[in-house]
């Protein structure tokens, strides 16, 4: 997407400036705390699309034109969402025992994993959580706007943690409804709903008006996760850059598998229950799982679900009185999510 | 302290109300997320002095008189510091593998410990971190005051995590200077400095004026930790309610042991190095460690250091133009810290 290309460099620069300032100001306690901040900086600056800050930027543009100076401040505030991403990923990777992230080691693995690596990663995540607040609080917007944006920030933060808890706590029947709830809490919240709230709040949009954008925010965020999960099973690694076996090996709760278990005959169901989530599953059985999900219609169902959500999201924009610059971005974004899988 | 007795009940009530509201509003995702919130509520409401909110309340009173309605709002905002305490303790206990806290299980042990218990506790800590922001943001103060208080909140949050990192990262020589730095970051920040900043900010005090109170905040916070560490080795369990062997067993970096290692002759030093931090140390050797620290003057040195800091803290208040109600509390508080050990 052109808008993303246009802004990514400036978002990266703002992120780098922010972390350089932290490094200059906060890290003088010891050589090791300095290295901790350097590691946080390296981790946060790894390649990424920076979609979430850019959604916030265009959510602002839904409501207000942006002169150069304001845009600089907006970009500075928007990196809050990248810092949040660092915070959430660092903690998620401890929980999921993930070893790789963004083309490098997961944060706890930077410290050789184990209890020690996990402990340092808990603290590093917490630091990023503090930073995400700083980025909003230090930006050059009105007190009222920053306060509103800060409230949305804690709203995102708490929903993310509820979503993650829902995901890892036992005791619920995995159903389509529950998977969709996790998608909403864990993905839509910080990918689209939250950035829209924050960008809108910085533009001084009223809560009632922002609420109306949330049909879009929820639908597109959930659709994004459905598509991403499809790539996680059927994607070509050389195109997507992400593995297409780890969701199966980890037994990730996705719409694909939930629907597959619902639709499968006894034999297929038994095969799925015995093999989905096995870390040492063979290539052959991996392929069999892909085939079962496809042949019983769970793949088509998921694609259709994503398409419907994207259509609903786009339609919800039609009668909204928001500025074209913002609306066009959101429409293109929806089309991009459609094109993913 | 009478002031603490006077306010503790109201702080507890505000904390209970806040968590009941969270439970009513946020927990409906599943039975298990509801139980998670119930556990956070139970954990946060366990017996405690509520010193930190009460310091914030009286820091406000240093600058402004407080009518009944404002005081209600102040108490509601002040529980931010209890929620921060929950957040920090839940995460600290994962890191320290502590099994007990506040007369009950540590949070991860509520979920039977292990990876699963730790993972849930990471999320629970994060939720409390979100809540601590909510408590400030939702309180009835001016936008400017809430924004200032929020900035101090992230300042505390980040310093705590730097302090904890400094404590657990290897690679520095344990020296008196470094131990004092950890005391300042890990204890003074959220026990006295931070609450003073937050209470003062809510009263609309200027940063420059608040800065002047920080001589007190730093000194008393550090002195508190020195005294607490003395109780952690020499306290009578039946009086203090806290163990007097776990600091030694865990090898906690305290002023006592740092100074003892500095002053000890070769034989005593070797004994300390061989036994301090041994989890299965015998009662006899525990007593020998207490005796060495005492006889070579490290206990007296620590007591003297605490006394000096308390004196400096009290003296720093003398010429400050703050309201008597606040000043008297801070003076009494300093005397209380003196009386601890």
């Amino acid at each position: 997407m052109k808008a993303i290309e246009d802004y990514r460099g400036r978002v990266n620069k703002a992120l780098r400036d922010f972390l350089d300032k932290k490094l200059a100001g906060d890290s003088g306690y010891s050589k090791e705390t300095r290295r901790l901040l350097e590691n946080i900086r390296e981790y946060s600056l790894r390649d990424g699309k920076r979609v979430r800050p850019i959604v916030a930027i265009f959510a602002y543009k839904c409501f207000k034109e942006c002169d150069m100076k304001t845009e600089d401040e907006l970009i500075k505030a928007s990196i809050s969402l990248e810092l949040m991403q660092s915070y959430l990923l660092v903690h998620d990777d401890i929980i999921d025992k993930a070893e790789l992230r963004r083309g490098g080691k997961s944060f706890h693995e930077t410290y050789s994993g184990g209890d020690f690596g996990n402990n340092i990663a808990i603290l590093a995540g917490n630091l990023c959580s503090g930073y995400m607040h700083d980025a909003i609080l230090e930006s050059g917007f009105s007190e009222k706007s920053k306060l509103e944006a800060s409230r949305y920030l804690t709203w995102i933060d708490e929903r993310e943690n509820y979503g993650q808890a829902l995901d890892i706590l036992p005791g619920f029947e995995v159903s389509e409804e529950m998977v969709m709830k996790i998608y909403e809490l864990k993905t839509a919240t910080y990918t689209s709903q939250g950035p829209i709230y924050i960008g809108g709040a910085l533009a001084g949009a009223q809560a009632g008006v922002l609420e109306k954008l949330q049909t879009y925010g929820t639908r597109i965020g959930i659709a994004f996760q459905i598509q991403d999960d499809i790539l996680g099973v059927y994607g070509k690694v050389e195109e997507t850059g992400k593995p297409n076996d780890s969701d199966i090996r980890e037994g990730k709760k996705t719409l694909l598998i939930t629907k597959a278990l619902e639709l499968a005959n006894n034999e297929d169901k038994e095969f799925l229950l015995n093999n989905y989530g096995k870390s040492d599953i063979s290539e052959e059985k991996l392929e069999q799982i892909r085939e079962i999900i496809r042949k019983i219609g769970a793949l088509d169902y998921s694609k259709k679900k994503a398409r419907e959500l994207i259509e609903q999201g786009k339609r919800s924009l039609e009668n909204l009185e928001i500025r074209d610059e913002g609306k066009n971005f959101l429409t293109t974004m929806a089309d991009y999510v459609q094109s993913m899988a």
Side-chain angles (χ1 to χ4, degrees), chain A residues 50-318:
Chain A
R50 315 299 179 212
V51 171
R52 294 167 182 88
I54 296 170
V55 172
I57 291 166
F58 280 91
Y60 183 103
K61 289 168 186 276
C62 285
F63 300 99
K64 243 188 183 170
E65 209 178 334
C66 210
D67 62 27
M68 282 291 278
K69 195 166 160 292
T70 310
E71 198 166 81
D72 279 346
E73 289 304 318
L74 182 57
I75 290 169
K76 274 190 217 165
S78 79
I79 63 162
S80 171
L81 293 152
E82 280 298 317
L83 296 161
M84 166 177 276
Q85 165 103 327
S86 288
Y87 145 54
L88 295 172
L89 294 180
V90 167
H91 282 186
D92 277 9
D93 284 347
I94 301 172
I95 291 171
D96 299 340
K97 297 185 192 300
E99 292 179 5
L100 301 172
R101 177 61 78 175
R102 297 171 163 169
K105 287 183 181 176
S106 56
F107 201 89
H108 56 279
E109 286 298 330
T110 312
Y111 284 87
S112 308
D115 283 348
F116 178 70
N118 286 349
N119 291 342
I120 296 294
I122 291 174
L123 302 177
N126 291 347
L127 283 170
C128 292
S129 161
Y131 297 167
M132 79 183 178
H133 284 282
D134 285 335
I136 297 286
L137 294 170
E138 290 170 5
S139 66
F141 292 91
S142 74
E143 284 160 357
K144 190 178 160 62
S145 293
K146 290 197 281 190
L147 215 55
E148 275 300 294
S150 294
R151 293 187 66 156
Y152 286 124
L153 202 58
T154 68
W155 177 84
I156 305 174
D157 186 9
E158 290 168 26
R159 298 221 334 160
E160 286 297 324
N161 282 288
Y162 291 132
Q164 179 74 322
L166 195 58
D167 202 6
I168 68 171
L169 280 165
F172 75 82
E173 194 72 23
V174 179
S175 64
E176 180 173 340
E177 187 197 347
M178 219 30 133
V179 168
M180 297 295 271
K181 192 77 217 168
I182 293 176
Y183 281 172
E184 182 180 349
L185 291 172
K186 276 188 68 175
T187 305
T189 300
Y190 93 110
T191 302
S192 43
Q193 295 179 283
I196 289 172
Y197 273 136
I198 286 179
L202 292 176
Q206 297 300 310
V209 181
L210 276 174
E211 216 52 63
K212 289 186 188 155
L213 262 175
Q214 288 306 317
T215 306
Y216 172 90
T218 315
R219 304 295 194 283
I220 298 300
I222 296 174
F224 171 81
Q225 190 58 58
I226 295 175
Q227 300 283 64
D228 202 50
D229 285 346
I230 292 174
L231 295 180
V233 174
Y234 296 98
K236 294 203 173 67
V237 182
E238 59 277 19
E239 286 173 17
T240 64
K242 65 180 262 175
N244 61 9
D245 59 349
S246 54
D247 286 4
I248 296 176
R249 288 184 200 277
E250 289 163 14
K252 188 174 178 192
K253 293 169 190 160
T254 65
L255 182 59
L256 281 177
I257 187 65
T258 307
K259 201 67 195 174
L261 287 170
E262 190 190 314
L263 296 174
N265 61 27
N266 284 343
E267 192 192 339
D268 286 342
K269 188 168 176 175
E270 206 187 316
F271 185 85
L272 292 174
L273 288 173
N274 285 333
N275 293 287
Y276 192 83
K278 270 213 170 136
S279 57
D280 59 349
I281 187 172
S282 68
E283 276 302 323
E284 198 192 330
K285 286 187 174 167
L286 269 170
E287 199 48 44
Q288 266 180 279
I289 288 182
R290 291 195 189 100
E291 183 49 30
I292 292 174
I293 297 176
R294 185 188 287 120
K295 80 169 183 211
I296 60 178
L299 174 59
D300 279 346
Y301 181 86
S302 296
K303 285 187 174 175
K304 185 165 159 266
K305 188 89 198 172
R307 197 163 52 238
E308 282 171 9
L309 289 165
I310 292 165
E311 281 312 314
Q312 288 167 13
K314 283 171 75 172
R315 234 183 354 261
S316 75
L317 295 177
E318 282 168 16

Side-chain angles (χ1 to χ4, degrees), chain A residues 1-5 7 50-62 191 195-196 216 220 317 322-336:
Chain A
M1 280 177 69
K2 184 170 178 304
I4 291 182
E5 301 305 325
Y7 280 90
R50 315 299 179 212
V51 171
R52 294 167 182 88
I54 296 170
V55 172
I57 291 166
F58 280 91
Y60 183 103
K61 289 168 186 276
C62 285
T191 302
I196 289 172
Y216 172 90
I220 298 300
L317 295 177
I322 51 176
R323 293 180 65 250
D324 281 346
E325 192 183 3
K327 194 187 275 193
N328 292 341
F329 172 86
L330 295 178
T331 308
T332 313
M333 176 90 185
D335 291 336
Y336 167 78

